Amino acid sequence: MTCAVYERVGLANDLARLGIEPGGTILVHAALGGTGLDAGAVRDALLTAVGPGGTVVVPAFTAENSDTSTAYLRRVAGMTPTQAASFRAEMPAFDLATTPSAGVGRLAECVRTTPGAVRSAHPQVSFAALGDRAAELLSAHPLESHFGEDSPLAALYRARARVLMINVGFSVCTAFHLAEYRIGAPLRSYRCVVRGPDGRPEWTEYKDTVLDDSDFEYIGDAFDDGRRVQNGQVGGTSARLFSIKEAVDHAVLWMTEKRR
């Protein structure tokens, strides 16, 4: 058995012990830096763990093509108005096939670039997936629904998928965003650059729910009460596994009480 195969099998066994079952659908958040884990090996282990009927989903977000994102505001901080305008004019338009994900880790980009991967069409918060239900779950992702009822996140909720977090905390738990839509959070304007019908870059503006992850750690701490979250290790690195439905339902109650 080669080292690569041994690593994949060992990681797949860890995932099975954590509770991932054949045929399941999982949304994975991972930060592999400093863990010694190879993104390709983790991807292969995930696919082995869910088996032929399963599906692996990852975030493939691209905030860098928006001038209303915190990523953009950080980049232009300190620039002169002329420099900021020049930077904005050169921002590449989102391309479904080629625009790399950013800020979501090596595993997510590894999944996105794997032959056969499916990616949802949102120019800011797309998801990528491999497996039996990839096309079904990511088929709809309208511009005005980052993480709302028409998004892949809600499709994962309806599919009773589970969330796997490797070496990350609840601050990156995307599932909690669906709760913001369900409590009726206010709207704001978003703007990003996309490819127009002629292939040229063009800016588009739309309204969607205000997204606020500043309290996600507190929501997660209250959720991880020893009953609803399975804690363990994958490749010697801390990992959590839990139901998207239970997480979102919990977040709705928490936000209804605490945010209002």
Side-chain angles (χ1 to χ4, degrees), residues 137-184:
L137 294 168
L138 274 55
S139 62
H141 204 167
L143 193 62
E144 300 84 2
S145 185
H146 287 100
F147 303 117
E149 301 299 340
D150 299 322
S151 73
L153 188 58
L156 289 166
Y157 178 96
R158 292 189 293 271
R160 296 186 176 272
R162 290 197 284 179
V163 177
L164 171 65
M165 301 199 303
I166 302 174
N167 198 38
V168 294
F170 282 102
S171 64
V172 301
C173 182
T174 303
F176 290 157
H177 282 304
L178 179 56
E180 296 180 298
Y181 289 77
R182 295 187 172 180
I183 67 168

Side-chain angles (χ1 to χ4, degrees), residues 4 10 15 21 28 41 46 50 53 56 58 84 105 112 114 116 134 140 148 165 169 181 185 192 211 213 216-217 233:
L15 292 166
E21 299 173 347
V28 187
L46 288 164
V50 299
V56 175
V58 295
R112 184 193 73 81
T114 298
M165 301 199 303
Y181 289 77
C192 60
L211 302 173
D213 59 12
F216 280 12
E217 281 287 357
Q233 290 197 334

Side-chain angles (χ1 to χ4, degrees), residues 49-68:
V50 299
T55 306
V56 175
V57 185
V58 295
F61 304 160
T62 51
E64 281 71 10
N65 69 332
S66 168
D67 67 354
T68 55

Side-chain angles (χ1 to χ4, degrees), residues 30-234:
L32 301 185
T35 67
L37 296 175
D38 175 74
V42 175
R43 174 205 58 200
D44 292 347
L46 288 164
L47 293 172
T48 298
V50 299
T55 306
V56 175
V57 185
V58 295
F61 304 160
T62 51
E64 281 71 10
N65 69 332
S66 168
D67 67 354
T68 55
S69 69
T70 55
Y72 170 83
L73 296 176
R74 284 195 299 266
R75 290 291 299 274
V76 301
M79 290 186 183
T80 67
T82 300
Q83 290 171 328
S86 177
F87 177 80
R88 182 181 185 275
E90 295 175 0
M91 290 168 63
F94 174 76
D95 184 283
L96 181 67
T98 63
T99 300
S101 58
V104 288
R106 292 185 322 223
L107 176 64
E109 186 64 358
C110 179
V111 170
R112 184 193 73 81
T113 56
T114 298
V118 177
R119 188 182 198 179
S120 67
H122 200 284
Q124 292 285 273
V125 292
S126 63
F127 291 84
L130 290 164
D132 193 63
R133 302 186 67 181
E136 169 200 347
L137 294 168
L138 274 55
S139 62
H141 204 167
L143 193 62
E144 300 84 2
S145 185
H146 287 100
F147 303 117
E149 301 299 340
D150 299 322
S151 73
L153 188 58
L156 289 166
Y157 178 96
R158 292 189 293 271
R160 296 186 176 272
R162 290 197 284 179
V163 177
L164 171 65
M165 301 199 303
I166 302 174
N167 198 38
V168 294
F170 282 102
S171 64
V172 301
C173 182
T174 303
F176 290 157
H177 282 304
L178 179 56
E180 296 180 298
Y181 289 77
R182 295 187 172 180
I183 67 168
L187 302 178
R188 56 159 284 196
S189 292
Y190 293 87
R191 193 166 48 246
C192 60
V193 60
V194 298
R195 291 197 182 279
D198 60 359
R200 295 183 179 183
E202 66 176 32
W203 285 86
T204 183
E205 186 168 0
Y206 58 99
K207 290 188 180 293
D208 195 14
T209 294
V210 173
L211 302 173
D212 177 12
D213 59 12
S214 61
D215 53 10
F216 280 12
E217 281 287 357
Y218 302 108
I219 297 172
D221 287 344
F223 178 63
D224 190 0
D225 58 5
R227 295 182 296 110
R228 294 173 291 195
V229 179
Q230 294 163 269
N231 289 275
Q233 290 197 334
V234 173

